[in-house]
Amino acid sequence: MNAPLALPRPNDHPQRRQLNDEAHARPYEPLATPARASYLAYLHRNTSHEQELWLIGELCAWGGAPPPPAGCLHWSATVGGVRIKWARHTEFSSLTVIAELGAEAAFAQTALAMLPADWLVQLPGNVLHAAHAWLLPELDLPGGIDAISEQYFEGYELIGARIGEGAGVAYTDFRIHADGYTRYVLGNAGMGARQAGRMLQRLFELDTYRMLAFLALPLAKSISPELSDADHELAELTSAMSNAREEDEPALLNRLTQLAARIESALSKTDFRFSAAHAYYEIVQRRVVELRELRIQGVQPFFEFVERRLSPAMDTCESVARRQRVLATRVARASSLLRTRVEITHERQNQLLLASMDKRARLQLRLQETVEGLSVAAITYYAVGLVGYGAKGLKSAGVHVNAELVTALAIPLVALVVAWGLRRMRRALVAHND
């Protein structure tokens, strides 16, 4: 039997491995039961990539673990007996700490507390979401929703559902408690370590992207009065255009141009934020779907909470963004209309100017013809005089010449020659200028 031939290695696309590995980027961390997890998401606008890697490297030095490779955007390792996961995204970075701790002491004992305090104080600010989670067997949860709320959530109303199509249960109140952290409680009824890790990460990301989407709401509220003022000013300018005199049109066009600049400036400040909010809202909706939740009687599920709280805010942002685009279009249309009127006025003025220039040119031509006629007469007069003097000189020399007759005959001949010469000279000059 012949041995199989060794196939040559395929000639890869330059980005084949990078594109393939993207499907395995930022994997979910497995979560054994019981366990504690802490999560931080912070905007990194004032923290460079290198600074974050240095900070992670300091933690690795404390725990005796190898530092993350240079340039990496996500990293996970076991450091000091806890599992650490760090990831840098477009606008924010996230840090997840997982510790396999028992079910005692509720949220008095957290995974984040396992890290050194002097390192924790170096974490960047701009924290957008901070949470502690507790995973325990569902059978260890107290009976009844009210008991769970009193024991873990200070009596606040709960949001929760069975997740993973019944493989577990998750509760939160989406509130920031006195320690500055949101709380999650997960009861495991049949989830494996990887499924539990996926579910917890989806809950963390749901709240993170919900907060990121909400960043657009204060901006939308702050810009609404400015849009109203611009709308009123546009209405005023449009009304003034119908009765504007020619001398008023440049001033109106200047005001419209300034209004257009203000609206474009507002668009440049808000377009990214509103677009990002829309994208984050879609991610939140996907994370809710991925929970595969089943309703618990008497508890508001995650999908309902997100739709009731986040959807109106996104509608407000979309409404403001739409008002901006419509207002920019209206200003552009009004500016185009007024600019057309100004151009028509300029064209009419140019036509009048051209007519005036044409009239002056005709007068100049007539004057030139008059001058040319006078020039012919003057040159003929002097030339005939010279001919007369010449004839008289010949007569004095004894040549039989009638000087008066020669002078008379020379007049039309000299006049024709002079006129012909001047006309030819004028044509040569015109041809040269053209």
Side-chain angles (χ1 to χ4, degrees):
M1 184 175 181
N2 295 331
L5 296 176
L7 293 176
R9 182 178 178 83
N11 187 10
D12 290 343
H13 183 279
Q15 295 178 310
R16 178 194 174 194
R17 185 169 296 278
Q18 176 184 353
L19 297 174
N20 179 77
D21 293 346
E22 189 64 28
H24 308 286
R26 299 182 176 92
Y28 296 105
E29 293 294 325
L31 193 62
T33 306
R36 309 291 179 102
S38 297
Y39 177 85
L40 292 174
Y42 51 88
L43 300 178
H44 54 51
R45 61 184 61 161
N46 297 322
T47 306
S48 68
H49 188 196
E50 291 73 17
Q51 288 174 317
E52 288 195 83
L53 288 177
W54 175 84
L55 191 59
I56 298 297
E58 291 292 298
L59 181 63
C60 292
W62 166 80
C72 70
L73 295 176
H74 54 87
W75 166 87
S76 61
T78 300
V79 180
V82 295
R83 187 73 178 169
I84 307 292
K85 177 184 176 182
W86 167 83
R88 185 178 176 93
H89 303 264
T90 303
E91 281 195 273
F92 72 99
S93 296
S94 62
L95 180 70
T96 307
V97 183
I98 300 173
E100 296 182 0
L101 300 173
E104 66 280 354
F107 289 101
Q109 188 178 13
T110 66
L112 200 62
M114 302 289 291
L115 302 182
D118 57 347
W119 184 83
L120 291 175
V121 297
Q122 300 181 67
L123 288 174
N126 285 326
V127 173
L128 198 63
H129 180 46
H132 294 311
W134 186 16
L135 173 67
L136 68 162
E138 185 178 357
L139 294 176
D140 293 346
L141 289 174
I145 301 302
D146 292 339
I148 294 175
S149 175
E150 289 293 335
Q151 185 167 343
Y152 304 130
F153 298 97
E154 302 176 3
Y156 288 114
E157 181 181 358
L158 296 184
I159 294 91
R162 300 204 66 83
I163 57 177
E165 298 179 346
V169 63
Y171 297 104
T172 184
D173 56 2
F174 283 121
R175 294 181 180 272
I176 302 174
H177 290 261
D179 59 355
Y181 290 81
T182 302
R183 297 178 179 181
Y184 298 90
V185 171
L186 281 74
N188 190 351
M191 296 186 293
R194 294 193 176 277
Q195 185 181 12
R198 288 195 300 271
M199 290 298 171
L200 180 61
Q201 188 66 29
R202 286 164 184 165
L203 288 170
F204 285 155
E205 291 180 353
L206 186 156
D207 216 359
T208 300
Y209 288 111
R210 178 179 69 93
M211 296 293 289
L212 285 165
F214 266 130
L215 283 176
L217 184 59
L219 184 60
K221 290 181 178 179
S222 67
I223 204 171
S224 290
E226 182 178 345
L227 291 179
S228 298
D229 293 341
D231 199 1
H232 293 156
E233 184 175 357
L234 177 60
E236 178 186 340
L237 290 172
T238 305
S239 176
M241 283 171 54
S242 59
N243 301 319
R245 298 171 299 178
E246 289 185 2
E247 55 268 26
D248 297 331
E249 290 175 352
L252 288 175
L253 184 58
N254 182 52
R255 289 181 60 187
L256 273 173
T257 302
Q258 293 178 354
L259 180 60
R262 282 165 45 197
I263 294 174
E264 288 299 324
S265 176
L267 275 171
S268 64
K269 291 189 296 184
T270 60
D271 190 56
F272 169 76
R273 189 74 271 156
F274 288 156
S275 299
H278 178 73
Y280 291 141
Y281 181 42
E282 290 184 345
I283 295 175
V284 170
Q285 291 177 314
R286 286 200 298 270
R287 293 297 181 268
V288 171
V289 171
E290 290 169 353
L291 288 176
R292 307 195 310 278
E293 58 181 344
L294 302 175
R295 180 182 289 272
I296 299 174
Q297 185 64 33
V299 179
Q300 185 179 13
F302 294 99
F303 174 79
E304 183 177 314
F305 176 84
V306 168
E307 285 302 308
R308 290 187 61 185
R309 303 304 197 280
L310 186 56
S311 181
M314 295 301 99
D315 290 342
T316 299
C317 295
E318 177 60 28
S319 174
V320 171
R322 186 166 53 251
R323 282 184 63 192
Q324 281 185 301
R325 292 191 293 269
V326 171
L327 190 57
T329 302
R330 289 172 56 201
V331 170
R333 189 164 57 243
S335 299
S336 177
L337 178 61
L338 185 55
R339 192 173 292 110
T340 301
R341 286 183 53 177
V342 172
E343 289 175 356
I344 291 174
T345 301
H346 287 169
E347 287 293 332
R348 186 163 57 249
Q349 293 173 350
N350 290 338
Q351 288 176 358
L352 294 174
L353 179 61
L354 289 174
S356 175
M357 293 175 62
D358 184 57
K359 183 177 180 180
R360 286 198 298 268
R362 288 198 300 270
L363 291 174
Q364 186 175 5
L365 178 60
R366 291 176 183 175
L367 179 62
Q368 183 179 353
E369 290 174 349
T370 303
V371 172
E372 184 177 332
L374 294 175
S375 299
V376 170
I379 295 173
T380 301
Y381 173 78
Y382 287 110
V384 169
L386 292 175
V387 171
Y389 285 124
K392 291 178 180 179
L394 291 175
K395 184 177 180 180
S396 299
V399 178
H400 182 68
V401 176
N402 189 339
E404 290 77 6
L405 180 61
V406 171
T407 302
L409 293 175
I411 291 174
L413 181 61
V414 171
L416 289 174
V417 171
V418 171
W420 176 81
L422 289 175
R423 186 177 297 273
R424 185 169 182 178
M425 182 183 299
R426 185 179 62 187
R427 289 178 178 177
L429 290 173
V430 170
H432 177 73
N433 291 333
D434 291 342

